[in-house]
């Protein structure tokens, strides 16, 4: 049966960044990219494309924008290098692909997708992840080409402890529900500024920062990764729908309060199998938005 409730929800990270967001210009530029990601991904769903294709397309646009902490424009680690993580999951099959600690790939979400499509394994790290993607047709890039002047400046300031970096988690993610009732989720990130080399966050960990199951919901999270890993956040949210009679909203609240109990901050986006949408966070703000029927809503 054709599912008429097409849904696409995206986020561009959560954080405490009221100061940063005070200029209307900055809001406008973020708005524009989020709008493009939603329009592009939703067009795929409208043409009866799959939720997996829709989340890939939306996340790719966000990765290519210097405004978000994913792909181009990612934060720098302790050594001033970019190390990227990403994951994607198909709710119909529970197949997933994930990469961590890569720097020679322009669009990590597409590399994660290659793993989902072509590997019996779920997760690859570092140069092995890059080589896998390369063997499947992706070009290697110069890691330096992912670094923006703005991120370099921020990193230098953080290193020199000139100022306390505003807590900003510019990770990107998308969840979608397609015409066949299939859910999918994808998340991509540069992690946390000045992180130690080799540190992996929640985004590429299936069940922590990313999860999708047609029986329950699709989730993509953002925030202090360690807390999302320790609470297995995305699976925790989905599992509540599986084992209890509870709404998506309520399950999201409970998952977020478990995170907060540990002192964790961040947010998430989710869609359940009925097409309900949830976007919630315990930071001051989260860049997010959704497309459904004929409306596109963006919240900053
Ligand atoms: N969750 C990401 C990480 O810990 C960071 C973020 O969402 O900005 O790697």
């Amino acid at each position: 049966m054709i599912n008429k409730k097409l849904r696409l929800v995206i986020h561009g990270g959560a954080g405490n960044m009221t100061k940063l967001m005070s200029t209307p210009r900055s809001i406008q530029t973020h708005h524009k990219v989020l709008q493009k990601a939603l329009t592009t991904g939703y067009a795929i769903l409208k043409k009866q494309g799959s939720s997996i294709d829709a989340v890939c397309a939306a996340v790719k646009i966000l990765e290519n924008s210097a405004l978000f902490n994913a792909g181009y424009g990612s934060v720098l680690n302790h050594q001033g290098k970019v190390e990227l993580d990403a994951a994607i999951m198909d709710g119909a099959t529970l197949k997933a692909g994930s990469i961590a600690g890569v720097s020679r790939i322009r669009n990590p979400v597409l590399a994660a997708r290659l793993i989902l499509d072509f590997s019996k394994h779920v997760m690859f790290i570092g140069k092995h992840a890059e080589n896998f993607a390369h063997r499947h047709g992706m070009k290697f890039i110069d890691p330096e080409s992912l670094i923006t002047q703005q991120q370099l400046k921020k990193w230098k300031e953080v290193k020199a402890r000139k100022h306390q970096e505003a807590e900003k988690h510019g990770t990107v993610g998308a969840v979608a529900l397609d015409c066949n009732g299939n859910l999918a989720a994808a998340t991509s990130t540069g992690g946390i500024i000045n992180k130690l080399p080799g540190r992996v966050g929640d985004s590429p960990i299936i069940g922590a920062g990313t999860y999708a199951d047609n029986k329950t919901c699709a989730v993509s999270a953002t925030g202090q990764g360690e807390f999302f890993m320790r609470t297995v956040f995305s699976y925790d949210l989905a599992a509540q729908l599986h084992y209890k009679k509870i709404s998506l909203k309520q399950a999201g609240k409970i998952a977020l309060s478990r995170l907060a109990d540990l002192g964790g901050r961040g947010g998430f986006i989710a869609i359940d199998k009925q097409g309900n949408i949830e976007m919630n966070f315990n930071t001051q703000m989260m860049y997010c938005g959704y497309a459904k029927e004929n409306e596109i809503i963006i919240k900053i």
Side-chain angles (χ1 to χ4, degrees):
M1 200 181 71
I2 290 273
N3 165 46
K4 294 219 175 82
K5 287 189 178 170
L6 307 179
R7 302 281 186 266
L8 176 65
V9 190
I10 60 170
H11 70 78
N16 293 325
M17 13 180 184
T18 43
K19 254 214 236 147
L20 285 174
M21 291 309 303
S22 56
T23 70
R25 180 127 186 263
S26 149
I27 293 177
Q28 217 181 18
T29 47
H30 282 82
H31 198 282
K32 224 169 144 186
V33 183
L34 292 168
Q35 171 106 24
K36 188 175 167 202
L38 281 171
T39 316
T40 308
Y42 198 63
I44 293 174
L45 296 178
K46 279 208 290 199
K47 281 191 220 137
Q48 304 196 359
S50 69
S51 50
I52 273 281
D53 284 344
V55 294
C56 264
V59 168
K60 183 182 168 194
I61 286 170
L62 299 171
E63 284 179 342
N64 288 343
S65 163
L67 296 176
F68 300 99
N69 173 23
Y72 177 65
S74 285
V75 297
L76 307 187
N77 72 8
H78 195 65
Q79 296 174 330
K81 301 212 159 92
V82 164
E83 282 183 330
L84 309 173
D85 305 333
I88 187 161
M89 184 160 186
D90 179 355
T93 57
L94 299 196
K95 282 177 89 178
S98 148
I99 59 169
V102 302
S103 54
R104 290 189 298 161
I105 299 290
R106 176 154 288 270
N107 290 110
V109 72
L110 301 184
R113 171 78 189 268
L114 288 172
I115 295 167
L116 183 153
D117 284 341
F118 299 115
S119 177
K120 62 177 182 178
H121 303 305
V122 169
M123 186 173 196
F124 286 95
I125 58 165
K127 65 176 191 296
H128 303 289
E130 293 166 352
N131 290 340
F132 182 91
H134 187 63
R135 280 201 302 280
H136 287 83
M138 283 186 90
K139 269 199 240 137
F140 284 140
I141 55 148
D142 176 358
E144 301 273 314
S145 69
L146 296 168
I147 300 177
T148 59
Q149 283 309 311
Q150 204 193 1
Q151 286 301 344
L152 190 61
K153 188 169 162 257
K154 267 194 199 156
W155 175 74
K156 282 184 181 159
E157 286 169 1
V158 169
K159 285 283 266 194
R161 298 201 193 284
K162 270 200 201 134
H163 77 90
Q164 188 69 31
E165 166 75 350
E167 187 186 353
K168 184 184 182 213
H169 302 286
T171 292
V172 307
V175 289
L177 176 64
D178 66 25
C179 67
N180 293 312
N182 290 326
L183 288 161
T187 314
S188 181
T189 188
I192 282 177
I193 194 163
N194 210 27
K195 65 186 178 182
L196 289 179
R199 179 264 186 191
V200 175
D202 60 314
S203 311
I205 308 290
I206 298 304
T210 309
Y211 198 70
D213 180 353
N214 277 6
K215 291 205 174 97
T216 54
C217 62
V219 186
S220 171
T222 174
Q224 300 169 312
E226 283 69 12
F227 294 91
F228 285 83
M229 290 153 94
R230 288 165 60 202
T231 57
V232 201
F233 183 91
S234 298
Y235 180 72
D236 181 46
L237 202 169
Q240 293 181 62
L241 299 185
H242 194 75
Y243 295 117
K244 292 199 275 188
K245 232 182 161 3
I246 188 170
S247 70
L248 181 70
K249 188 178 233 13
Q250 199 55 31
K253 258 194 193 155
I254 292 172
L256 212 49
S257 80
R258 282 190 69 221
L259 186 96
D261 285 348
L262 296 180
R265 282 187 304 273
F268 71 90
I269 53 170
I271 307 176
D272 68 15
K273 61 177 179 183
Q274 285 92 14
N276 295 305
I277 288 173
E278 189 59 11
M279 312 187 287
N280 200 356
F281 49 94
N282 66 3
T283 45
Q284 279 169 359
M285 56 87 66
M286 179 165 80
Y287 298 100
C288 54
Y290 63 82
K292 64 173 199 177
E293 277 91 54
N294 286 325
E295 60 172 349
I296 289 192
I297 303 288
I298 292 168
K299 296 193 173 171
I300 296 183

